[in-house]
Amino acid sequence: MTGTRAVEDLLRTYAPQVLGGLMRRYGDFDLCEDAVQEALIAAARQWPEEGVPENARGWLLTVARRKYVDQVRSEAARRRREDALALATPDSELLARGADEAPGADRDDSLSLLFLCCHPDLSPPSRIALTLRAVGGLTTAQIAAAFLVPEATMAQRISRAKQTIKAGGLSLAPPEGEERTARLAEVRHVLYLVFNEGYTASGGEALTAPELSTEAIRLARMLHRLVPDDTETAGLLALMLLTDARRPARTGPDGELVPLAEQDRGSWDAALIAEGVELLGRTLPAGGVGPYQLQAAIAAVHDEAASAGATDWPQILALYELLERTGPNPMVTLNRAVAVAMVHGPEAGLALLDGLAEDQRLARSHRLLATRAHLLELLGERQEAAVAYREAARRATSVPERRHLTERARRLG
């Protein structure tokens, strides 16, 4: 007998490899992905009781192939050619290398699958959903629950993504040259969005959705293994590790939000911090510093400070100034305003916020108002700060954030 959690971890590791094996033979992403999902479900039911097979990947490939054949047979009148192809392919061929492949070639199709799931023809929400299902091995129900949407809604989203892949004739063939670089950037962005949604949920009763952060870190580790020389991928992984290390201290006993300055740093995950700092230390000297590495460096400065008062704010401000040069981003400017306030005083930070008031990307966000309230509080303008906190609370969609902002206003009232 094997623990359910251990089985789930194993299945998520094998999911993209099995899907890649099926697609290499049959090419139909829609049917292959459905077949793999059914194989994963079968394994999740059977392995905890009967144990993991000696050749777990082969077991999954065999079951997924049979599920695929069943699907093809159900449409025999319309798809006789696919039926003949599926039935003619022995299990041994699925597990063997193609005759035209060089010995020792890497047959892990995880990177190609990530590229396919993050194709520019797909909408950003579809990329996220498809990546978590096809590469992450999560069920539609798990993804829907993590994003607080009905399962039917998530199923439709995934179905539309599959139809887009089918209609566009998209395949596992990896992009080359500049397109490969651009697609890798899209993959990183999708994993970054998944992590952020897990670290601070955009809605609902809970501040975090740990299953999403954990899955994003797992996929980022996989991506780093597949492209070990890509410094921005290493930076993204370091950023996730250094940020997630603080998660245990972000909520109080009743699930309330605890600001960074008030967190118990003794409960931060020292192992994750050490891993993130070490990874960043190997990455930065390689040159070509990008936004994920800079964000990771900022997180490292916070994590390595013994207390909130010991934070090296001048260094953080310098890093935000470098980050802002990588591309205009109102959230970066918002965070830089806080660093400016900590180095040059609240008035300087508030002056910087004035320039963001007209930015439509922040028009409906509560974060600009919450930041303004914080700086007004530092300045001693308690009444104005309370008003800003209350307005920020009205705009917040996360229940813990709304409660936190309301409580800050109440304390100042």
Side-chain angles (χ1 to χ4, degrees), residues 235-258:
L236 174 62
L237 176 56
L239 171 62
M240 290 181 178
L241 296 172
L242 291 163
T243 304
D244 203 55
R246 301 194 291 263
R247 178 153 48 97
R250 293 190 68 228
T251 54
D254 298 319
E256 68 274 19
L257 184 153
V258 180

Side-chain angles (χ1 to χ4, degrees), residues 260-278:
L260 178 63
E262 300 172 19
Q263 288 175 16
D264 173 15
R265 298 181 178 228
S267 64
W268 288 358
D269 191 321
L272 287 183
I273 294 173
E275 183 183 357
V277 169
E278 191 274 335

